[in-house]
């Protein structure tokens, strides 16, 4: 059985490019093509939501030319693939603070979200300008404001708090590519009971076969959620 919600830390684009003597941006370009491959595979396998860490709140610290390329990538990606995503009934969403991106980047993302909003297949959620601590902080502030304004009681439950986050669902499987085994401020709340799968494969080389391996690993796990 496929997990319902899968999240991926897409790591290793830079190393993939370096191995080939190419600029880091070439790794990101190939990495964007991998998003298409993996989204289509996830849909085939019955995964309902795929969350991809495409740009972290820390990524602004990268050299200006790399940041500027990463800001252009959503445009290049959707130009190439939006029609196919529509045909396949895939719904695009995002998690993160979009408003910090250049207006053109915001426009292409909002356009893809609007265009696909009635699709009923896989939800492809791009985590962009996303940081988990920031996500929780924003959620807490919003809740505190609502209580202060008398809009709601001071009666927060875990389930209710989830609704203040960009991503409300628990995640079943988290994959990180490229051999790194860190969370890097990704979905800290949502990963509380998640199975983790780490692979040495670099993100641009990740594909359907590798996704199947991760799902097989997941299916071999005995998830107990704290029970016995
Ligand atoms: C990590 O690899 C990757 C990123 C910081 C960017 C991920 C972005 C994409 C895969 C494309 C995004 C596309 C769209 C459409 C939103 P790294 O650069 O840290 O690699 P390294 O650790 O080998 O240097």
């Amino acid at each position: 059985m496929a997990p319902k919600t899968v999240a991926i830390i897409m790591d290793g684009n830079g190393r993939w490019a370096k191995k080939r003597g190419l600029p880091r941006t070439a790794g990101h370009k190939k990495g964007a093509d991998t998003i298409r491959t993996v989204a289509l595979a996830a849909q085939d396998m019955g995964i309902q939501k795929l969350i991809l860490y495409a740009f972290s709140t820390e990524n602004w610290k990268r050299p200006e030319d790399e940041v500027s390329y990463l800001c252009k990538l959503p445009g290049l990606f959707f130009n190439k693939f939006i029609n196919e995503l529509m045909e396949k009934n895939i719904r695009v969403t995002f998690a993160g603070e979009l408003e910090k991106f250049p207006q053109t980047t915001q426009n292409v993302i909002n356009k893809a979200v609007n265009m696909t909003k009635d699709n009923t297949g896989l939800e492809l959620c791009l985590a962009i300008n996303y940081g988990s601590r920031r996500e929780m902080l924003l959620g807490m502030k919003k809740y505190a404001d609502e209580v202060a304004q008398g809009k709601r009681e001071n009666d927060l439950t875990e389930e209710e708090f989830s609704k203040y986050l960009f991503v409300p669902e628990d995640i079943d499987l988290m994959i990180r590519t490229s051999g790194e085994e860190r969370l890097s401020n990704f979905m800290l709340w949502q990963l509380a009971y998640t199975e983790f799968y780490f692979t040495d494969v670099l993100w641009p080389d990740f594909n359907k076969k590798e996704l199947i391996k991760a799902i097989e690993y997941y299916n071999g796990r005995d998830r107990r959620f704290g029970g016995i």
Side-chain angles (χ1 to χ4, degrees):
M1 257 266 293
K4 253 165 71 173
T5 303
V6 176
I8 308 183
I9 302 180
M10 309 182 287
D11 200 0
N13 293 350
R15 276 162 285 167
W16 183 91
K18 195 172 174 201
K19 266 181 28 187
R20 289 162 178 76
L22 297 170
R24 293 176 55 80
T25 48
H28 296 315
K29 181 164 187 267
K30 181 73 166 55
D33 290 343
T34 304
I35 292 183
R36 169 201 172 255
T37 309
V38 173
L40 298 185
Q43 159 114 317
D44 280 352
M45 292 165 79
I47 291 165
Q48 292 175 16
K49 180 162 179 167
L50 180 66
I51 306 160
L52 301 177
Y53 205 2
F55 194 98
S56 77
T57 46
E58 287 74 34
N59 285 154
W60 296 108
K61 293 184 217 145
R62 294 193 174 202
E64 210 181 302
D65 59 337
E66 186 171 345
V67 170
S68 134
Y69 187 77
L70 285 169
C71 291
K72 275 193 218 125
L73 253 186
L76 299 173
F77 176 82
F78 288 123
N79 265 340
K80 219 160 143 188
F81 299 127
I82 194 69
N83 290 338
E84 192 178 15
L85 297 177
M86 273 306 284
E87 267 165 39
K88 301 279 180 188
N89 197 23
I90 291 174
R91 183 161 64 96
V92 177
T93 59
F94 67 89
E97 290 172 277
L98 203 58
E99 54 279 12
K100 300 222 171 120
F101 283 105
Q103 195 58 50
T104 44
T105 310
Q106 295 185 39
N107 293 348
V108 288
I109 294 167
N110 282 325
K111 194 171 156 201
V113 169
N114 278 328
M115 202 170 153
T116 61
K117 70 179 189 322
D118 297 323
N119 289 351
T120 53
L122 174 82
E123 179 182 347
L124 173 62
C125 174
L126 299 173
I128 36 179
N129 192 26
Y130 173 87
S132 185
R133 289 185 173 180
R134 175 104 185 124
E135 175 189 37
M136 286 195 267
L137 195 69
L138 290 172
M140 285 184 242
K141 280 185 171 166
K142 185 161 184 250
Y143 174 71
D145 282 349
E146 287 177 10
V147 173
Q149 290 162 17
K151 285 188 190 156
R152 62 169 297 157
E153 298 292 312
N154 187 351
D155 60 353
L156 197 60
T157 60
E158 289 182 13
E159 208 188 336
E160 282 288 307
F161 179 63
S162 299
K163 296 180 191 154
Y164 286 86
L165 303 176
F166 293 125
V167 172
E169 298 94 345
D170 278 354
I171 292 165
D172 298 309
L173 171 67
M174 195 283 295
I175 300 169
R176 183 168 188 152
T177 57
S178 89
E180 305 296 337
E181 301 190 0
R182 287 187 298 278
L183 285 182
S184 304
N185 200 16
F186 186 56
M187 304 281 150
L188 303 179
W189 176 272
Q190 298 88 340
L191 292 177
Y193 291 102
T194 304
E195 297 294 336
F196 289 176
Y197 177 82
F198 298 104
T199 172
D200 287 338
V201 174
L202 304 175
W203 176 250
D205 291 327
F206 198 84
N207 54 26
K208 184 168 189 174
K209 205 173 106 213
E210 297 300 332
L211 183 64
I212 292 172
K213 273 196 223 164
I215 307 293
E216 282 171 355
Y217 168 84
Y218 171 84
N219 281 327
R221 307 300 306 163
D222 175 17
R223 297 183 82 198
R224 291 194 290 259
F225 299 95
I228 49 168

